[in-house]
Amino acid sequence: MLSFLLSFLLLFASPAPMGVGPAAHLAGSVEPCKIYGSVYLEMDPRRANSCFAVVYMEPEQAFADVLVFNETNKLFADKAGLWSPAENREFADYVLFVTTDRSRADFAIHYTKVRSFAGCKQ
């Protein structure tokens, strides 16, 4: 009886497996139209698992899922596509991993110089 209780406690008291937690998501479940505010772009592949999503920087505006405008003030980054670059990943609202492979990305972004063009293309 005691061994059963111990094995039960070990089974359910163990930490969650890698990739499960608030930053984990199912494939295709990331909604890029809901990302705004301060964003940190992670380039280190060793930290990719702790990021909210994987993005690809699309060179052509026509093929991007989200057009992004860099806001200098975080208070004005209040809708989709308006991102304020965060200097530190700990202070960012979203941490996104940047990949060079389009097929591994959850969505593609393209930076625009016109604020009114920013937003989701879906």
Side-chain angles (χ1 to χ4, degrees), residues 29-87:
S29 68
V30 175
E31 295 186 39
C33 297
K34 293 187 176 183
I35 298 176
Y36 61 90
S38 62
V39 177
Y40 181 80
L41 298 177
E42 180 64 63
M43 305 292 186
D44 187 359
R46 294 174 295 177
R47 294 186 173 196
N49 288 338
S50 65
C51 295
F52 179 76
V54 180
V55 298
Y56 173 72
M57 289 195 187
E58 180 63 53
E60 298 294 326
Q61 178 178 340
F63 300 117
D65 299 314
V66 179
L67 294 178
V68 176
F69 179 77
N70 264 340
E71 277 291 346
T72 55
N73 189 338
K74 182 183 173 182
L75 296 175
F76 295 125
D78 58 354
K79 69 176 192 172
L82 299 179
W83 294 2
S84 175
E87 296 177 15

Coordinates of all heavy atoms in Angstrom, one line a residue, residues 29-87:
S29 N -1.8 26.8 -33.6 CA -2.6 27.4 -32.7 C -2.3 28.8 -32.3 O -2.9 29.5 -31.6 CB -2.7 26.6 -31.4 OG -1.5 26.6 -30.7
V30 N -1.1 29.3 -32.9 CA -0.7 30.7 -32.6 C -1.5 31.6 -33.5 O -1.6 31.4 -34.7 CB 0.8 30.8 -32.9 CG1 1.2 32.3 -32.8 CG2 1.6 30.0 -32.0
E31 N -2.1 32.6 -32.9 CA -2.8 33.6 -33.6 C -2.0 34.9 -33.7 O -1.9 35.7 -32.8 CB -4.2 33.9 -32.9 CG -5.1 32.7 -32.9 CD -6.4 33.1 -32.3 OE1 -7.0 34.2 -32.6 OE2 -7.0 32.3 -31.6
P32 N -1.3 35.1 -34.8 CA -0.5 36.3 -35.0 C -1.2 37.6 -34.9 O -0.6 38.7 -34.6 CB 0.2 36.1 -36.3 CG -0.7 35.2 -37.1 CD -1.4 34.3 -36.1
C33 N -2.5 37.6 -35.1 CA -3.3 38.9 -35.1 C -3.5 39.4 -33.7 O -4.0 40.5 -33.5 CB -4.6 38.7 -35.8 SG -4.4 38.3 -37.5
K34 N -3.2 38.6 -32.7 CA -3.3 39.0 -31.3 C -2.0 39.4 -30.6 O -2.0 39.6 -29.4 CB -4.0 37.8 -30.5 CG -5.4 37.5 -30.9 CD -6.0 36.5 -30.0 CE -7.5 36.3 -30.4 NZ -8.2 35.4 -29.5
I35 N -1.0 39.4 -31.4 CA 0.3 39.8 -30.8 C 0.6 41.3 -31.0 O 0.6 41.8 -32.2 CB 1.5 39.0 -31.5 CG1 1.3 37.5 -31.2 CG2 2.8 39.5 -31.0 CD1 2.3 36.6 -31.8
Y36 N 0.7 42.0 -29.9 CA 1.0 43.4 -30.0 C 1.7 43.8 -28.6 O 1.8 43.0 -27.7 CB -0.2 44.3 -30.2 CG -1.3 44.2 -29.2 CD1 -1.3 45.0 -28.0 CD2 -2.3 43.2 -29.3 CE1 -2.3 44.8 -27.0 CE2 -3.2 43.1 -28.3 CZ -3.2 43.9 -27.2 OH -4.2 43.7 -26.2
G37 N 2.2 45.0 -28.6 CA 2.9 45.4 -27.3 C 4.4 45.3 -27.5 O 5.0 45.4 -28.6
S38 N 5.1 45.0 -26.4 CA 6.6 44.9 -26.5 C 6.9 43.4 -26.9 O 6.4 42.5 -26.3 CB 7.2 45.2 -25.1 OG 6.7 44.3 -24.1
V39 N 7.8 43.4 -27.9 CA 8.2 42.1 -28.5 C 9.7 42.0 -28.5 O 10.4 42.9 -28.9 CB 7.6 41.9 -29.9 CG1 8.1 40.6 -30.5 CG2 6.1 42.0 -29.9
Y40 N 10.2 40.8 -28.0 CA 11.6 40.5 -28.1 C 11.8 39.4 -29.1 O 11.2 38.4 -29.1 CB 12.1 40.1 -26.7 CG 13.6 39.8 -26.7 CD1 14.5 40.8 -26.6 CD2 14.1 38.5 -26.8 CE1 15.9 40.6 -26.6 CE2 15.5 38.2 -26.8 CZ 16.3 39.3 -26.7 OH 17.7 39.0 -26.6
L41 N 12.7 39.7 -30.1 CA 13.0 38.7 -31.1 C 14.3 37.9 -30.7 O 15.4 38.5 -30.6 CB 13.2 39.4 -32.4 CG 12.0 40.1 -33.0 CD1 12.3 40.8 -34.3 CD2 10.8 39.2 -33.2
E42 N 14.1 36.7 -30.4 CA 15.2 35.8 -30.0 C 15.8 35.2 -31.2 O 15.2 34.6 -32.1 CB 14.6 34.7 -29.1 CG 15.6 33.7 -28.6 CD 16.6 34.3 -27.7 OE1 16.2 34.8 -26.6 OE2 17.8 34.4 -28.0
M43 N 17.2 35.2 -31.2 CA 17.9 34.7 -32.3 C 18.7 33.4 -31.9 O 19.1 32.7 -32.8 CB 19.0 35.7 -32.8 CG 18.4 37.0 -33.2 SD 17.3 36.8 -34.7 CE 16.9 38.5 -35.0
D44 N 18.8 33.1 -30.7 CA 19.6 32.0 -30.1 C 18.7 30.7 -30.2 O 17.7 30.6 -29.6 CB 20.0 32.3 -28.7 CG 20.9 31.2 -28.2 OD1 21.3 30.3 -28.9 OD2 21.3 31.3 -27.0
P45 N 19.2 29.7 -31.1 CA 18.4 28.5 -31.2 C 18.3 27.7 -29.9 O 17.3 26.9 -29.8 CB 19.1 27.7 -32.3 CG 20.2 28.5 -32.8 CD 20.3 29.8 -31.9
R46 N 19.2 27.9 -29.0 CA 19.1 27.1 -27.7 C 17.9 27.6 -26.9 O 17.4 26.9 -26.0 CB 20.4 27.3 -26.9 CG 21.6 26.7 -27.6 CD 22.8 27.0 -26.9 NE 23.1 28.4 -27.0 CZ 24.1 29.1 -26.4 NH1 24.9 28.4 -25.7 NH2 24.2 30.4 -26.5
R47 N 17.4 28.8 -27.1 CA 16.2 29.3 -26.4 C 14.9 29.2 -27.1 O 13.9 29.8 -26.7 CB 16.5 30.8 -26.0 CG 17.6 30.9 -25.0 CD 17.8 32.3 -24.6 NE 18.7 32.4 -23.5 CZ 18.8 33.5 -22.7 NH1 18.0 34.5 -22.8 NH2 19.7 33.5 -21.8
A48 N 14.9 28.6 -28.3 CA 13.7 28.5 -29.1 C 12.5 27.9 -28.4 O 11.4 28.3 -28.6 CB 14.0 27.8 -30.4
N49 N 12.8 26.9 -27.6 CA 11.7 26.2 -26.9 C 11.0 27.0 -25.9 O 9.8 26.7 -25.5 CB 12.2 24.9 -26.2 CG 12.6 23.8 -27.2 OD1 12.1 23.8 -28.3 ND2 13.4 22.9 -26.7
S50 N 11.6 28.1 -25.4 CA 10.9 28.9 -24.4 C 10.2 30.1 -25.0 O 9.8 31.0 -24.3 CB 12.0 29.4 -23.3 OG 12.9 30.2 -24.0
C51 N 10.2 30.2 -26.3 CA 9.5 31.3 -27.0 C 8.0 31.0 -27.3 O 7.6 29.9 -27.3 CB 10.2 31.6 -28.3 SG 11.9 32.1 -28.1
F52 N 7.3 32.1 -27.4 CA 5.9 32.0 -27.6 C 5.5 31.4 -29.0 O 4.6 30.6 -29.2 CB 5.2 33.4 -27.5 CG 3.7 33.4 -27.7 CD1 2.9 32.9 -26.7 CD2 3.2 33.9 -28.9 CE1 1.5 32.9 -26.9 CE2 1.8 33.9 -29.1 CZ 1.0 33.4 -28.1
A53 N 6.3 31.9 -30.0 CA 6.0 31.4 -31.4 C 7.3 31.5 -32.2 O 8.3 32.1 -31.7 CB 4.9 32.3 -32.0
V54 N 7.3 31.0 -33.4 CA 8.4 31.0 -34.3 C 8.0 31.9 -35.5 O 6.9 31.6 -36.1 CB 8.8 29.6 -34.8 CG1 10.0 29.7 -35.7 CG2 9.2 28.7 -33.6
V55 N 8.8 32.9 -35.8 CA 8.5 33.8 -36.9 C 9.5 33.7 -38.0 O 10.7 33.4 -37.7 CB 8.3 35.2 -36.4 CG1 7.1 35.3 -35.5 CG2 9.5 35.8 -35.9
Y56 N 9.1 34.1 -39.2 CA 10.0 34.2 -40.3 C 9.9 35.6 -40.8 O 8.8 36.1 -41.0 CB 9.6 33.2 -41.4 CG 10.4 33.4 -42.7 CD1 11.7 33.0 -42.8 CD2 9.8 33.9 -43.8 CE1 12.4 33.1 -44.0 CE2 10.5 34.0 -45.0 CZ 11.8 33.6 -45.1 OH 12.5 33.8 -46.3
M57 N 11.0 36.3 -41.0 CA 11.0 37.6 -41.6 C 11.0 37.6 -43.1 O 12.0 37.3 -43.8 CB 12.3 38.4 -41.1 CG 12.2 38.7 -39.6 SD 13.5 40.0 -39.3 CE 13.3 40.0 -37.5
E58 N 9.8 37.8 -43.6 CA 9.5 37.7 -45.0 C 10.1 39.0 -45.7 O 9.8 40.1 -45.3 CB 8.0 37.6 -45.2 CG 7.6 37.5 -46.7 CD 8.1 36.3 -47.4 OE1 7.9 35.2 -46.9 OE2 8.8 36.5 -48.5
P59 N 10.9 38.8 -46.8 CA 11.4 40.0 -47.5 C 10.4 40.7 -48.3 O 10.5 41.9 -48.6 CB 12.6 39.4 -48.3 CG 12.4 38.0 -48.4 CD 11.5 37.6 -47.2
E60 N 9.4 40.0 -48.7 CA 8.3 40.6 -49.6 C 7.0 40.8 -48.8 O 6.6 39.9 -48.1 CB 8.0 39.6 -50.7 CG 9.1 39.4 -51.7 CD 9.6 40.6 -52.4 OE1 8.7 41.5 -52.7 OE2 10.8 40.8 -52.7
Q61 N 6.5 42.0 -48.9 CA 5.3 42.4 -48.1 C 4.1 41.5 -48.5 O 3.3 41.2 -47.7 CB 5.0 43.9 -48.4 CG 3.8 44.4 -47.7 CD 3.5 45.8 -47.9 OE1 4.5 46.6 -48.3 NE2 2.3 46.3 -47.8
A62 N 4.0 41.1 -49.8 CA 2.8 40.4 -50.2 C 2.7 39.0 -49.6 O 1.6 38.5 -49.5 CB 2.9 40.3 -51.8
F63 N 3.8 38.4 -49.2 CA 3.7 37.1 -48.6 C 3.7 37.0 -47.1 O 3.7 35.9 -46.5 CB 4.9 36.2 -49.2 CG 4.9 36.1 -50.7 CD1 5.9 36.7 -51.4 CD2 3.8 35.6 -51.3 CE1 5.9 36.6 -52.8 CE2 3.8 35.5 -52.7 CZ 4.9 36.0 -53.5
A64 N 3.7 38.1 -46.4 CA 3.8 38.2 -45.0 C 2.3 38.0 -44.4 O 1.4 38.4 -45.0 CB 4.4 39.5 -44.5
D65 N 2.3 37.4 -43.2 CA 1.0 37.2 -42.5 C 0.6 38.5 -41.7 O -0.5 38.8 -41.6 CB 1.0 36.0 -41.6 CG 1.3 34.7 -42.3 OD1 0.6 34.5 -43.4 OD2 2.1 33.9 -41.9
V66 N 1.7 39.1 -41.2 CA 1.5 40.3 -40.4 C 2.5 41.4 -40.9 O 3.7 41.1 -41.1 CB 1.8 40.0 -38.9 CG1 1.6 41.3 -38.1 CG2 0.8 39.0 -38.4
L67 N 2.0 42.6 -41.1 CA 2.8 43.7 -41.3 C 3.1 44.4 -40.0 O 2.2 44.8 -39.3 CB 2.2 44.7 -42.3 CG 2.0 44.2 -43.7 CD1 1.3 45.2 -44.6 CD2 3.3 43.7 -44.4
V68 N 4.4 44.6 -39.7 CA 4.8 45.1 -38.4 C 5.3 46.5 -38.5 O 6.2 46.8 -39.4 CB 5.8 44.2 -37.7 CG1 6.3 44.8 -36.4 CG2 5.2 42.8 -37.5
F69 N 4.9 47.4 -37.6 CA 5.5 48.7 -37.5 C 6.1 48.9 -36.2 O 5.5 48.5 -35.1 CB 4.4 49.8 -37.7 CG 4.9 51.2 -37.5 CD1 5.5 51.8 -38.6 CD2 4.7 51.9 -36.4 CE1 6.0 53.1 -38.5 CE2 5.2 53.2 -36.3 CZ 5.8 53.8 -37.3
N70 N 7.4 49.3 -36.1 CA 8.1 49.5 -34.9 C 7.7 50.8 -34.2 O 7.9 51.9 -34.7 CB 9.6 49.6 -35.1 CG 10.3 48.2 -35.0 OD1 9.8 47.4 -34.3 ND2 11.5 48.1 -35.6
E71 N 7.0 50.6 -33.1 CA 6.6 51.8 -32.2 C 7.7 52.1 -31.3 O 8.3 51.2 -30.7 CB 5.3 51.4 -31.4 CG 4.1 51.6 -32.2 CD 3.7 53.0 -32.5 OE1 4.3 54.0 -31.9 OE2 2.8 53.2 -33.3
T72 N 8.0 53.4 -31.1 CA 9.1 53.8 -30.2 C 8.6 53.8 -28.8 O 9.3 53.6 -27.8 CB 9.6 55.1 -30.6 OG1 8.6 56.1 -30.7 CG2 10.4 55.1 -31.9
N73 N 7.3 54.0 -28.6 CA 6.6 54.0 -27.3 C 5.7 52.8 -27.1 O 4.8 52.6 -27.9 CB 5.8 55.3 -27.1 CG 5.4 55.6 -25.7 OD1 5.3 54.6 -24.9 ND2 5.1 56.8 -25.4
K74 N 5.9 52.1 -26.1 CA 5.2 50.9 -25.8 C 3.7 51.2 -25.7 O 2.8 50.4 -26.0 CB 5.7 50.1 -24.6 CG 5.0 48.8 -24.3 CD 5.5 48.2 -23.0 CE 4.6 47.0 -22.7 NZ 5.0 46.4 -21.5
L75 N 3.3 52.3 -25.2 CA 1.9 52.7 -24.9 C 1.1 52.8 -26.2 O -0.1 52.6 -26.2 CB 1.8 54.0 -24.2 CG 2.4 54.0 -22.8 CD1 2.4 55.4 -22.1 CD2 1.7 53.0 -21.9
F76 N 1.8 53.1 -27.3 CA 1.1 53.2 -28.6 C 1.1 51.9 -29.4 O 0.4 51.8 -30.4 CB 1.8 54.2 -29.5 CG 1.6 55.6 -28.9 CD1 2.7 56.4 -28.7 CD2 0.4 56.1 -28.6 CE1 2.6 57.7 -28.2 CE2 0.3 57.4 -28.0 CZ 1.4 58.2 -27.8
A77 N 1.7 50.8 -28.9 CA 1.7 49.5 -29.5 C 0.5 48.7 -28.9 O 0.6 47.8 -28.1 CB 3.0 48.8 -29.2
D78 N -0.7 49.2 -29.4 CA -1.9 48.7 -28.7 C -2.9 47.9 -29.7 O -4.0 47.6 -29.4 CB -2.7 49.8 -28.1 CG -3.0 50.9 -29.1 OD1 -2.6 50.8 -30.2 OD2 -3.7 51.8 -28.7
K79 N -2.4 47.5 -30.9 CA -3.2 46.7 -31.8 C -2.2 45.8 -32.6 O -1.0 46.0 -32.6 CB -4.1 47.5 -32.6 CG -3.4 48.4 -33.7 CD -4.5 49.0 -34.5 CE -3.8 49.6 -35.8 NZ -4.7 50.1 -36.7
A80 N -2.8 44.9 -33.3 CA -2.0 43.9 -34.1 C -1.1 44.6 -35.1 O -1.5 45.6 -35.7 CB -2.9 43.0 -34.8
G81 N 0.2 44.2 -35.1 CA 1.1 44.7 -36.0 C 1.9 45.9 -35.4 O 2.9 46.3 -36.0
L82 N 1.5 46.5 -34.3 CA 2.2 47.5 -33.7 C 3.0 46.9 -32.6 O 2.5 46.5 -31.5 CB 1.3 48.6 -33.2 CG 0.4 49.3 -34.2 CD1 -0.5 50.3 -33.5 CD2 1.2 50.0 -35.2
W83 N 4.3 46.9 -32.8 CA 5.3 46.2 -31.9 C 6.3 47.2 -31.4 O 6.8 48.0 -32.2 CB 6.0 45.1 -32.5 CG 5.2 43.9 -32.9 CD1 3.8 43.8 -32.8 CD2 5.6 42.7 -33.5 NE1 3.4 42.5 -33.2 CE2 4.5 41.9 -33.7 CE3 6.9 42.2 -33.9 CZ2 4.6 40.6 -34.3 CZ3 7.0 41.0 -34.5 CH2 5.9 40.2 -34.6
S84 N 6.5 47.2 -30.1 CA 7.6 48.0 -29.5 C 8.7 47.0 -29.2 O 8.6 46.1 -28.4 CB 7.1 48.7 -28.2 OG 8.1 49.4 -27.6
P85 N 9.9 47.3 -29.8 CA 11.0 46.3 -29.5 C 11.5 46.4 -28.1 O 11.7 47.4 -27.5 CB 12.1 46.8 -30.5 CG 11.7 48.1 -30.9 CD 10.3 48.3 -30.7
A86 N 11.5 45.2 -27.5 CA 12.0 45.1 -26.1 C 13.5 44.8 -26.1 O 14.0 44.1 -26.9 CB 11.3 44.0 -25.4
E87 N 14.2 45.5 -25.2 CA 15.6 45.3 -25.0 C 16.0 44.0 -24.3 O 17.1 43.5 -24.5 CB 16.3 46.5 -24.3 CG 16.1 47.8 -25.0 CD 16.7 49.0 -24.3 OE1 17.4 48.8 -23.3 OE2 16.3 50.1 -24.6

